[in-house]
Amino acid sequence: MNNATLTTTARTVLRVVVGFLFAAHGWQKFNEWTIAGTTAAFGDMGIPMAEIAAPVIATLELVGGIALILGLLTRPVAVLLTLDMLGALILVHVSAGVFVANNGYELVLLLGAAALTLALVGPGRASADYALFGRRDSRVSVLA
Protein backbone atom coordinates (compact mmCIF):
# COMPACT_ATOMS: atom_id res chain seq x y z
CA MET A 1 0.00 0.00 0.00
CA ASN A 2 1.17 3.50 -0.68
CA ASN A 3 1.16 6.31 1.88
CA ALA A 4 -2.05 7.93 0.53
CA THR A 5 -3.93 4.65 0.81
CA LEU A 6 -2.67 4.09 4.36
CA THR A 7 -3.61 7.62 5.36
CA THR A 8 -7.10 7.27 3.88
CA THR A 9 -7.54 3.92 5.60
CA ALA A 10 -6.34 5.27 8.96
CA ARG A 11 -8.63 8.31 8.83
CA THR A 12 -11.58 6.15 7.82
CA VAL A 13 -11.00 3.63 10.60
CA LEU A 14 -10.61 6.40 13.19
CA ARG A 15 -13.70 8.24 11.93
CA VAL A 16 -15.93 5.17 11.89
CA VAL A 17 -14.85 3.80 15.28
CA VAL A 18 -15.00 7.17 17.06
CA GLY A 19 -18.28 7.99 15.34
CA PHE A 20 -19.75 4.66 16.43
CA LEU A 21 -18.74 5.25 20.06
CA PHE A 22 -20.17 8.77 20.14
CA ALA A 23 -23.39 7.61 18.46
CA ALA A 24 -23.69 4.76 20.96
CA HIS A 25 -23.33 7.18 23.88
CA GLY A 26 -25.90 9.54 22.38
CA TRP A 27 -28.30 6.65 21.75
CA GLN A 28 -27.81 5.53 25.35
CA LYS A 29 -28.72 8.99 26.64
CA PHE A 30 -31.96 8.97 24.62
CA ASN A 31 -33.04 5.34 24.95
CA GLU A 32 -31.47 3.65 27.94
CA TRP A 33 -31.26 6.53 30.39
CA THR A 34 -33.89 8.75 28.68
CA ILE A 35 -33.48 12.49 28.45
CA ALA A 36 -35.21 12.92 31.82
CA GLY A 37 -32.76 10.48 33.40
CA THR A 38 -29.80 12.06 31.65
CA THR A 39 -30.94 15.50 32.82
CA ALA A 40 -31.18 14.24 36.41
CA ALA A 41 -27.75 12.61 36.18
CA PHE A 42 -26.22 15.77 34.70
CA GLY A 43 -27.76 17.78 37.55
CA ASP A 44 -26.36 15.36 40.14
CA MET A 45 -22.92 15.70 38.52
CA GLY A 46 -23.09 19.48 38.79
CA ILE A 47 -23.35 20.19 35.07
CA PRO A 48 -24.76 23.71 34.66
CA MET A 49 -28.16 24.07 32.97
CA ALA A 50 -28.65 20.30 32.92
CA GLU A 51 -32.14 20.61 31.42
CA ILE A 52 -30.60 22.25 28.34
CA ALA A 53 -27.27 20.42 28.34
CA ALA A 54 -28.72 16.89 28.43
CA PRO A 55 -30.74 16.99 25.19
CA VAL A 56 -28.09 19.09 23.43
CA ILE A 57 -25.26 16.71 24.35
CA ALA A 58 -27.35 13.60 23.60
CA THR A 59 -28.21 14.99 20.17
CA LEU A 60 -24.65 16.11 19.47
CA GLU A 61 -23.28 12.68 20.35
CA LEU A 62 -25.90 10.72 18.39
CA VAL A 63 -26.10 12.91 15.28
CA GLY A 64 -22.42 13.89 15.46
CA GLY A 65 -21.38 10.26 15.73
CA ILE A 66 -23.42 9.35 12.66
CA ALA A 67 -21.93 12.35 10.82
CA LEU A 68 -18.41 11.14 11.67
CA ILE A 69 -19.21 7.65 10.40
CA LEU A 70 -20.35 9.15 7.10
CA GLY A 71 -17.54 11.69 7.05
CA LEU A 72 -20.08 14.52 6.78
CA LEU A 73 -19.08 17.93 8.17
CA THR A 74 -16.32 16.05 9.96
CA ARG A 75 -14.19 18.98 11.09
CA PRO A 76 -16.92 21.15 12.65
CA VAL A 77 -18.60 18.11 14.23
CA ALA A 78 -15.25 16.88 15.58
CA VAL A 79 -14.56 20.30 17.13
CA LEU A 80 -17.95 20.22 18.88
CA LEU A 81 -17.33 16.67 20.12
CA THR A 82 -13.87 17.70 21.36
CA LEU A 83 -15.49 20.51 23.36
CA ASP A 84 -18.09 18.02 24.65
CA MET A 85 -15.32 15.78 25.96
CA LEU A 86 -13.38 18.73 27.38
CA GLY A 87 -16.47 19.72 29.34
CA ALA A 88 -16.98 16.16 30.57
CA LEU A 89 -13.32 15.97 31.56
CA ILE A 90 -13.33 19.22 33.54
CA LEU A 91 -16.82 19.11 35.02
CA VAL A 92 -17.12 15.43 35.88
CA HIS A 93 -14.18 13.08 35.41
CA VAL A 94 -10.85 14.74 36.23
CA SER A 95 -11.36 14.58 40.01
CA ALA A 96 -11.92 10.79 39.84
CA GLY A 97 -8.47 10.00 38.45
CA VAL A 98 -7.54 8.11 35.32
CA PHE A 99 -9.47 4.87 35.33
CA VAL A 100 -13.00 4.62 33.97
CA ALA A 101 -13.87 1.97 36.57
CA ASN A 102 -13.68 4.79 39.14
CA ASN A 103 -15.57 7.24 36.86
CA GLY A 104 -12.18 8.51 35.73
CA TYR A 105 -11.26 10.30 32.55
CA GLU A 106 -9.51 7.67 30.40
CA LEU A 107 -12.38 7.19 27.92
CA VAL A 108 -13.26 10.89 27.83
CA LEU A 109 -9.61 11.79 27.19
CA LEU A 110 -9.26 9.21 24.43
CA LEU A 111 -12.51 10.22 22.69
CA GLY A 112 -11.60 13.89 22.97
CA ALA A 113 -8.12 13.34 21.55
CA ALA A 114 -9.52 11.24 18.70
CA ALA A 115 -12.13 13.90 17.88
CA LEU A 116 -9.46 16.61 17.98
CA THR A 117 -7.29 14.54 15.65
CA LEU A 118 -10.15 14.31 13.15
CA ALA A 119 -10.73 18.06 13.42
CA LEU A 120 -7.05 18.64 12.62
CA VAL A 121 -6.47 16.13 9.82
CA GLY A 122 -9.95 15.97 8.29
CA PRO A 123 -12.00 13.00 7.17
CA GLY A 124 -9.89 11.67 4.30
CA ARG A 125 -10.90 10.69 0.80
CA ALA A 126 -13.37 7.97 1.78
CA SER A 127 -15.90 10.47 3.12
CA ALA A 128 -18.98 12.43 2.18
CA ASP A 129 -16.97 15.61 2.80
CA TYR A 130 -14.44 14.67 0.15
CA ALA A 131 -17.18 13.79 -2.33
CA LEU A 132 -19.01 17.06 -1.65
CA PHE A 133 -16.19 19.52 -0.98
CA GLY A 134 -13.01 17.89 -2.30
CA ARG A 135 -12.39 20.13 -5.33
CA ARG A 136 -9.21 22.11 -4.66
CA ASP A 137 -10.62 25.31 -6.16
CA SER A 138 -13.66 25.26 -3.86
CA ARG A 139 -13.92 27.72 -0.96
CA VAL A 140 -15.21 24.96 1.29
CA SER A 141 -12.46 22.47 0.39
CA VAL A 142 -11.11 22.90 3.93
CA LEU A 143 -13.96 20.60 5.01
CA ALA A 144 -12.48 17.79 2.95
Side-chain angles (χ1 to χ4, degrees):
M1 276 192 204
N2 64 33
N3 193 36
T5 302
L6 288 174
T7 299
T8 295
T9 302
R11 288 180 183 185
T12 303
V13 168
L14 182 62
R15 239 189 36 249
V16 170
V17 170
V18 171
F20 170 77
L21 291 175
F22 274 114
H25 281 267
W27 181 263
Q28 182 182 45
K29 286 173 178 69
F30 276 110
N31 293 292
E32 185 178 328
W33 299 342
T34 74
I35 292 301
T38 301
T39 300
F42 277 21
D44 290 346
M45 290 182 260
I47 295 173
M49 299 184 298
E51 61 283 342
I52 296 169
V56 167
I57 293 301
T59 302
L60 171 62
E61 291 177 357
L62 178 60
V63 175
I66 293 167
L68 287 185
I69 291 168
L70 298 173
L72 182 62
L73 300 174
T74 301
R75 288 179 183 213
V77 166
V79 167
L80 292 173
L81 289 168
T82 300
L83 294 173
D84 173 23
M85 291 298 97
L86 183 61
L89 176 74
I90 293 167
L91 295 172
V92 178
H93 297 282
V94 75
S95 63
V98 175
F99 301 108
V100 75
N102 300 324
N103 201 31
Y105 58 83
E106 67 180 317
L107 179 60
V108 167
L109 185 63
L110 184 59
L111 287 172
L116 179 59
T117 299
L118 288 170
L120 294 172
V121 302
R125 290 182 174 199
S127 67
D129 287 339
Y130 188 81
L132 295 169
F133 312 118
R135 289 192 356 254
R136 294 200 188 274
D137 61 341
S138 171
R139 290 184 180 174
V140 291
S141 64
V142 69
L143 293 174

